[in-house]
Amino acid sequence: MLPSFFDLTLADLTDVLVARGLNKFSAGQIYDWVYKKHVRDPAEWTNVSKETRAWLAESYDFRLPKIVWQGLSVDGTRKFLVGFTDGNTVETVAIPARDRLTLCVSSQVGCAIGCTFCYTATQGLKRHLKPGEVVGQFLAAQEWLTKNVGEDARLTNIVYMGQGEPLHNYENIKKATQIYLEPKGMGLGQRRITLSTSGLVPAIEKLIEFPPVNIAISLHAAHNDVRTELMPINKVYDLERLFKAIKTIPLKAHRRITYEYLLIDGLNDGIADVEGLASLLPKGESKVNLIPFNEFPGSKYKRPSEKTVFWFMQQMESRGITCTVRTTKGTDILAACGQLKSAYEDGRLNLWDDRSQTRPTNASTSPQVPAPQ
Ligand code: SF4
């Protein structure tokens, strides 16, 4: 099985060309063909030498992941089921807003973090996604949208809020982000990408080495006992450790930290939670996204009333914390926050039967949650 071309950052591509004795300046031209002109067949790259084209064509796989299913919500949110060469699938969701079309991408097949409110958690972690599989979700979804909706359906923003904990897959997500940002390729702006984390402290402390994108921290509770109930990661990295790590994030470069707070009826939506949250967050520079809980099959939590959500928001704002209520999108197709789960998990799809490629063995090495430090 050939390695995917989409795993290569521009620097990686330059290195492999140099190692092969080929012209390193072709790397930028190749990125331009693949990511700007969307021409993935090396035979068509007219300004790249024949030798380089031939070598890349026989050394790398230029295929994108496959869209195996898609569904459209009544509110315009579109969920894609994306399939990889080993038969695993993840979900990726395109969410329209007035001036943008955001793709919520997955970073792992399943997730090891085990948040008790999350549908993805019920499938456990199968494996990390490679950079090309993360970038491929965007490219495959964009290709589908262009073909089936039209040229105007352009994805503009990315949030790493699909399946998985992105910082548990730090190196691959860092590479994928570099590929998204590369001006000679996709050229997405730093402000258009948001990295979300459940609070993996050792990786948060390494964000200084990460491209300067927006950061979202999933808080969901202001007290350790409630947060541990919702997010077992809090047993290892509690609120004190988390906020100590948050202080190490280079704010100037990252510009903005958003705190995600899932509102659950009767669990974290009372006055003690308002007061706890207000005392945790630095005034003036914190923004809280309130997310009324989205119920899913078998979920044990309930969504609070609209009155409670509004009251919570007002209480926070009266304490100097900027607050927004995230409009819930895509609930009718289970595409909303915390509702994503890979389909076909008991019987992998054989996606590659129609191609003359040898089906690969599963590259999974059963990654472990990083040990506490
Ligand atoms: S909410 Fe995110 S981090 Fe928590 S289990 Fe679900 S996918 Fe993993």
Side-chain angles (χ1 to χ4, degrees):
M1 183 68 184
L2 297 176
S4 171
F5 173 85
F6 301 99
D7 286 337
L8 300 174
T9 62
L10 185 65
D12 293 336
L13 179 58
T14 306
D15 288 347
V16 297
L17 292 176
V18 169
R20 184 72 193 176
L22 297 166
N23 182 359
K24 67 176 181 180
F25 297 108
S26 301
Q29 293 164 322
I30 294 165
Y31 246 58
D32 184 74
W33 280 108
V34 172
Y35 290 110
K36 281 202 196 313
K37 298 193 177 85
H38 308 293
V39 178
R40 295 197 301 274
D41 181 358
E44 295 181 43
W45 304 342
T46 47
N47 58 353
V48 178
S49 78
K50 215 170 165 182
E51 191 190 358
T52 303
R53 287 187 276 146
W55 180 71
L56 284 171
E58 70 192 27
S59 306
Y60 287 93
D61 187 345
F62 285 84
R63 293 174 303 168
L64 294 179
K66 210 168 180 179
I67 302 289
V68 290
W69 177 88
Q70 62 78 37
L72 181 65
S73 161
V74 287
D75 61 27
T77 299
R78 194 180 293 272
K79 179 160 90 171
F80 297 97
L81 184 66
V82 181
F84 303 116
T85 50
D86 64 356
N88 276 307
T89 57
V90 295
E91 293 177 348
T92 189
V93 182
I95 307 157
R98 202 163 32 128
D99 56 349
R100 59 185 183 271
L101 182 56
T102 300
L103 194 70
C104 177
V105 296
S106 292
S107 53
Q108 297 174 313
V109 182
C111 185
I113 301 296
C115 303
T116 55
F117 55 82
C118 174
Y119 202 21
T120 304
T122 61
Q123 75 181 112
L125 176 67
K126 286 195 174 170
R127 69 171 176 88
H128 294 311
L129 293 187
K130 289 178 269 180
E133 293 172 328
V134 177
V135 171
Q137 289 172 60
F138 186 97
L139 296 173
Q142 183 60 73
E143 193 171 273
W144 191 95
L145 288 166
T146 307
K147 230 180 253 171
N148 297 283
V149 180
E151 288 290 336
D152 290 345
R154 309 293 317 167
L155 294 167
T156 58
N157 291 52
I158 292 169
V159 290
Y160 287 110
M161 294 183 186
Q163 290 161 269
E165 160 55 62
L167 290 185
H168 186 195
N169 188 13
Y170 183 94
E171 291 302 333
N172 287 343
I173 296 301
K174 182 178 169 185
K175 271 196 186 223
T177 306
Q178 288 167 338
I179 296 169
Y180 282 135
L181 293 172
E182 176 50 55
K184 289 188 173 143
M186 296 166 82
L188 277 165
Q190 291 164 356
R191 288 169 200 235
R192 294 192 176 275
I193 300 180
T194 301
L195 178 70
S196 166
T197 178
S198 60
L200 209 48
V201 162
I204 291 174
E205 288 167 348
K206 286 202 309 181
L207 282 177
I208 191 137
E209 300 157 20
F210 202 89
V213 295
N214 296 320
I215 302 291
I217 307 279
S218 298
L219 210 51
H220 304 328
H223 302 285
N224 278 321
D225 55 342
V226 180
R227 193 164 191 268
T228 297
E229 178 186 333
L230 290 171
M231 309 175 77
I233 193 173
N234 196 69
K235 275 187 225 158
V236 183
Y237 305 117
D238 65 12
L239 287 164
E240 287 66 39
R241 287 200 72 181
L242 176 59
F243 275 88
K244 206 169 152 209
I246 289 170
K247 286 202 183 101
T248 69
I249 299 174
L251 239 195
K252 201 171 166 205
H254 286 294
R255 295 185 187 99
R256 176 166 65 99
I257 295 177
T258 304
Y259 295 90
E260 308 285 327
Y261 192 94
L262 195 61
L263 273 172
I264 298 173
D265 184 37
L267 186 75
N268 63 356
D269 59 351
I271 190 69
D273 304 292
V274 168
E275 284 164 357
L277 194 53
S279 67
L280 273 178
L281 303 178
K283 311 271 174 311
E285 55 188 68
S286 305
K287 188 184 156 216
V288 176
N289 242 339
L290 295 174
I291 312 161
F293 179 65
N294 297 308
E295 292 169 32
F296 58 81
S299 61
K300 60 176 177 175
Y301 301 119
K302 292 265 169 290
R303 189 182 178 89
S305 67
E306 279 185 29
K307 201 173 148 198
T308 303
V309 174
F310 186 63
W311 171 84
F312 199 98
M313 184 180 82
Q314 280 189 320
Q315 290 293 320
M316 291 305 297
E317 298 220 310
S318 69
R319 287 164 174 79
I321 308 283
T322 308
C323 234
T324 53
V325 177
R326 188 188 291 170
T327 322
T328 300
K329 299 246 188 186
T331 44
D332 54 331
I333 54 167
L334 286 185
C337 281
Q339 291 186 319
L340 302 182
K341 190 176 179 185
S342 298
Y344 309 108
E345 64 200 65
D346 297 326
R348 290 185 179 182
L349 293 176
N350 191 354
L351 303 174
W352 305 93
D353 273 359
D354 55 336
R355 303 173 190 217
S356 56
Q357 296 275 341
T358 312
R359 187 174 168 168
T361 54
N362 186 0
S364 169
T365 52
S366 301
Q368 304 290 310
V369 177
Q373 293 187 340

